[in-house]
Structures are given as structure tokens and as C-alpha cells.
Amino acid sequence: MSQGLVVLMLALLLGLQAITTDLYLPALPMLRASFNATMGQAQMTLTALLLAFGVSQLFWGPLSDRFGRRPILLIGMAVYVVASAASVVASSMTVLIVFRTLQGAAMGAAVMCARAVVRDLYTPVEGAKAMSRGLSGLGLIACLGVPLGAALSTWWGWRASLAAVALFGGATLALVALRFHETLREPNPRALQIGVLTNTWREILQNPTFRAFSFLSICSYGGLFTYLAASSFVYIQVLGLSPNAYSLVLVASALTYIPGTFMCRRLLLRFGVRKTVAIGGVITLASGTVMGLLAIAGIHTVWALMLPFCGYMLGHGIHQACGQSGAVGPFPQAAGAAAALNGFMMMVVAFLIGGWLGQNLNGTVYPMALGVWFWTVLIALLAWTLVQRHGASTAV
């Protein structure tokens, strides 16, 4: 595959997560009203999907190390399309949660394989640059997806938003089937043996580089998920924005994410991974602190939340590229298992955040603003300590 095709595949496969979660966010209050559901049930359509997404990667990862990335991608994407189509015609909140859960489990194959493919094809530092290119495409997809979701839900209801998710999955499946070539050169015939798998997971978890970069990517995603999971209720129900205006707020943060990924590549070229992550930590902490202090000061406006979070997304463009590629870097023979563990831990945290928000969204901006601030403190501490001690430092 050409480098351009690899980047396109990465963008679509990684963007699947953004499309699946972001596209229907503007319709979440409408969906809740349609089924007369509680706040916790509405959040469950997102958190159950993400928990299944995380857990499933523990199975998809070793399977891809044993049989290769292509067959796992094809199976996962086919199940994803079926579950997405079934979600469109769900007759109750319970049925919708079931199919969203299946959708999340299938999505795990796509995103996990995308991360493993980066390690199959590139060295760790080159992998961070390749990942940042794929994440640039993810940012573009998010920019297009959010306003599309708002428009569809406004014109035709929340089912139209979920139908668009199914169509995106179908197009991605077609491209994978037609153009994706296997990237795993030497499948591991022992990858699924219980003893081998247990030893592999133990070695991965004991590796300090894996822990440093995994914690970084987990915390960075934690801040993003806190914002996304709470944002539709805060902006629409608390601050009174329309779904279309709310979509523009999300577009602004997605647009900021794209230059963050470009900044990541420039910084990697000049400073290497450690200094790049440290600079990202400064940007992230400053942004979260501004958001938190404005909320405490009683300045509860769209701009007081949106502008600091745009700064957060600059740092997120750095931390996700370095974190995800750095976590799988030490494991060229077990990239699937390493990517799976990283993704699993990320989604467990997201599930816990969703449950917490379901209980604590209280008609104010505080759960979102102070939650994001909390994660920025953790990100900065990790960027300035563990990553500096255990991260790769080679500039390219």
C-alpha cells in the first residue's frame, strides 16, 4: 500500500470512533425525549458502547496477532455495519443500548488494528508521525461529522444520525475489502495459547514505556470524553444553544485538533518525543486551568468553555499521537496485544467517566469544566515525569 493509502485507512479506521460517538451527540437530548428515558439511560447508549469497545480489544488484539490484521478488520467491520443498521430501527432504549454495545465491540477490531498497523509498518518515532497524520484525518472527519449530525437530527430526527453512521461504516468496509493489504509479516501461531497470551500481557503491563505512554493517552482521552459526554447537555440544555449552534462549538474544537497534530509532527522533528510531550503538557494544563478558574469565577458562557477547550485540543493532538504509538512501540511481535490493552484501559476509564457524569450532571457547567481541569493536571504530571523517564527521546 502507498503511504497515502495507509494514511487514508488510518484516518477512516480511527475516525470510526469519532463518527460513532460524535455524530449523534447533538441528537442525544432528542433521543432521550423520544424514549422518555432517564439521563443515566441516555448516557448508557454511549458508555456501554465504549465499554464493549474496550473489552473487545482484548480479544481482537491476540486474534490479529495470530491471523493477521485483514481478516479481523473484515469481520469486525461487517458486524459493525449490521449493528449500526439495527440501531437505526431500535424500538426502545433497551434495544438501542444492546445494538450500540454490539457496535462498540465490532468497532474495537477497526481501531485496534489501525494502531497495530502503525507498529507493523513503522519504527516508534516514525510511527508517532504516521499516527499524527492519521489523526489529522480523524480531526477532519470530526469536523464534518458533527454539523452533519446536527443537521440530520434537526431535519429528520435522531434515527437519521445513526443511519449516517451505518453508511460511513459501509463505505469503510468496502475500502478495506478492496484496497487493504495485510501488514503483519509474520503471524504468531502461538498468540492465542493461554500461557503465551498471559505472559505477553504481563510483559506488556510491566513495561515502563508502555505504562508511561498508555497513561498519557488514557488521561488525554479522559479529558476529551468528559467534555464530549457532557457537552450536549451543557451547551443545549444549560446554556440554551440550538443543536446546529452546538455542532459549531464542536467543530471549533475539532478544527483546533488538526493543527495540534501538525504541531506534533513539527515538534517531533525538532525535539523528539520527550520534549514534544512536555510542551504539550504545558499547553494542556494552561487550558484546563483557565476553564476551571472561569467556571469557579461564575463566568458560565459558551466562550468561557469553548476557547479553553480549543487549547486543550491542541495538546490532545500531541498526546494521542505520541501516547498511542509509544505504547505499542516496544512490542513489534505483539503490537495487537499492546494496542488492545491500551485501548481497553482507555475505554474502561471512559465508561467510569460516563457513569459519573450520568449521576452528577446537575444543570450547571461545573461537572464538565472541573472534570476537564482534573484531567489536565494528570496529563501534565505524566508528561513531565513518567514520559521523561521512560519515553523514547530520539529526534528524527
Side-chain angles (χ1 to χ4, degrees):
M1 294 183 292
S2 67
Q3 187 176 33
L5 180 59
V6 171
V7 170
L8 175 61
M9 291 283 187
L10 287 177
L12 292 176
L13 294 173
L14 295 171
L16 202 68
Q17 184 179 353
I19 284 291
T20 308
T21 56
D22 297 2
L23 193 70
Y24 92 125
L25 284 178
L28 202 52
M30 187 185 305
L31 184 153
R32 178 190 172 199
S34 174
F35 288 125
N36 194 26
T38 65
M39 182 76 75
Q41 288 176 315
Q43 287 290 328
M44 188 60 68
T45 62
L46 186 60
T47 54
L49 176 143
L50 291 174
L51 183 61
F53 172 55
V55 173
S56 71
Q57 293 181 63
L58 296 178
F59 299 93
W60 293 124
L63 284 169
S64 74
D65 286 337
R66 171 62 184 88
F67 297 108
R69 316 305 181 202
R70 179 178 166 82
I72 300 306
L73 274 175
L74 290 174
I75 294 170
M77 287 304 306
V79 175
Y80 176 89
V81 172
V82 172
S84 300
S87 297
V88 177
V89 296
S91 58
S92 69
M93 182 62 82
T94 300
V95 173
L96 179 61
I97 291 172
V98 169
F99 283 118
R100 290 281 289 177
T101 302
L102 180 60
Q103 193 179 22
M107 184 173 69
V111 177
M112 180 284 305
C113 282
R115 295 170 181 159
V117 163
V118 172
R119 186 62 189 93
D120 292 341
L121 298 177
Y122 304 105
T123 63
V125 177
E126 287 295 326
K129 294 166 67 177
M131 181 65 76
S132 73
R133 293 188 184 98
L135 292 175
S136 297
L138 182 154
L140 180 60
I141 290 171
C143 288
L144 298 174
V146 173
L148 176 61
L152 290 173
S153 61
T154 300
W155 295 337
W156 294 299
W158 60 267
R159 295 182 191 274
S161 298
L162 295 184
V165 173
L167 290 174
F168 182 89
T172 303
L173 172 60
L175 184 63
V176 169
L178 294 173
R179 300 296 304 276
F180 183 84
H181 299 291
E182 184 58 63
T183 59
L184 183 62
R185 294 183 177 87
E186 296 181 6
N188 183 359
R190 303 176 62 216
L192 297 179
Q193 296 179 11
I194 298 299
V196 173
L197 187 56
T198 301
N199 289 334
T200 299
W201 280 343
R202 183 173 62 250
E203 291 174 4
I204 292 170
L205 290 171
Q206 290 176 345
N207 186 284
T209 300
F210 173 83
R211 292 200 300 268
F213 283 111
S214 283
F215 292 157
L216 180 70
S217 63
I218 288 166
C219 290
S220 187
Y221 186 75
L224 173 62
F225 185 77
T226 299
Y227 184 83
L228 290 178
S231 60
S232 62
F233 296 101
V234 170
Y235 284 116
I236 295 174
Q237 296 187 345
V238 178
L239 300 180
L241 291 185
S242 68
N244 285 327
Y246 163 67
S247 72
L248 295 178
V249 171
L250 291 191
V251 167
S253 61
L255 284 173
T256 313
Y257 177 67
I258 296 173
T261 62
F262 281 95
M263 182 190 304
C264 177
R265 294 198 288 277
R266 295 296 298 271
L267 292 174
L268 284 170
L269 186 66
R270 183 171 181 181
F271 297 116
V273 175
R274 291 179 184 173
K275 289 184 179 179
T276 296
V277 170
I279 293 169
V282 174
I283 298 170
T284 300
L285 181 59
S287 303
T289 301
V290 170
M291 180 185 286
L293 291 179
L294 288 175
I296 292 173
I299 305 174
H300 299 168
T301 66
V302 171
W303 295 105
L305 296 170
M306 184 184 74
L307 291 180
F309 195 74
C310 286
Y312 180 92
M313 291 301 287
L314 280 175
H316 187 65
I318 294 172
H319 298 312
Q320 280 303 299
C322 294
Q324 291 186 27
S325 60
V328 301
F331 310 103
Q333 302 305 318
L341 278 174
N342 175 254
F344 168 73
M345 293 188 294
M346 197 180 299
M347 291 307 110
V348 168
V349 170
F351 179 81
L352 295 175
I353 292 170
W356 181 82
L357 288 172
Q359 297 296 319
N360 290 278
L361 285 174
N362 54 9
T364 72
V365 305
Y366 292 116
M368 184 173 79
L370 299 184
V372 171
W373 191 9
F374 166 79
W375 289 109
T376 63
V377 173
L378 292 185
I379 292 166
L381 291 175
L382 288 166
W384 301 336
T385 56
L386 288 183
V387 172
Q388 299 308 306
R389 286 197 290 268
H390 304 299
S393 60
T394 305
V396 180

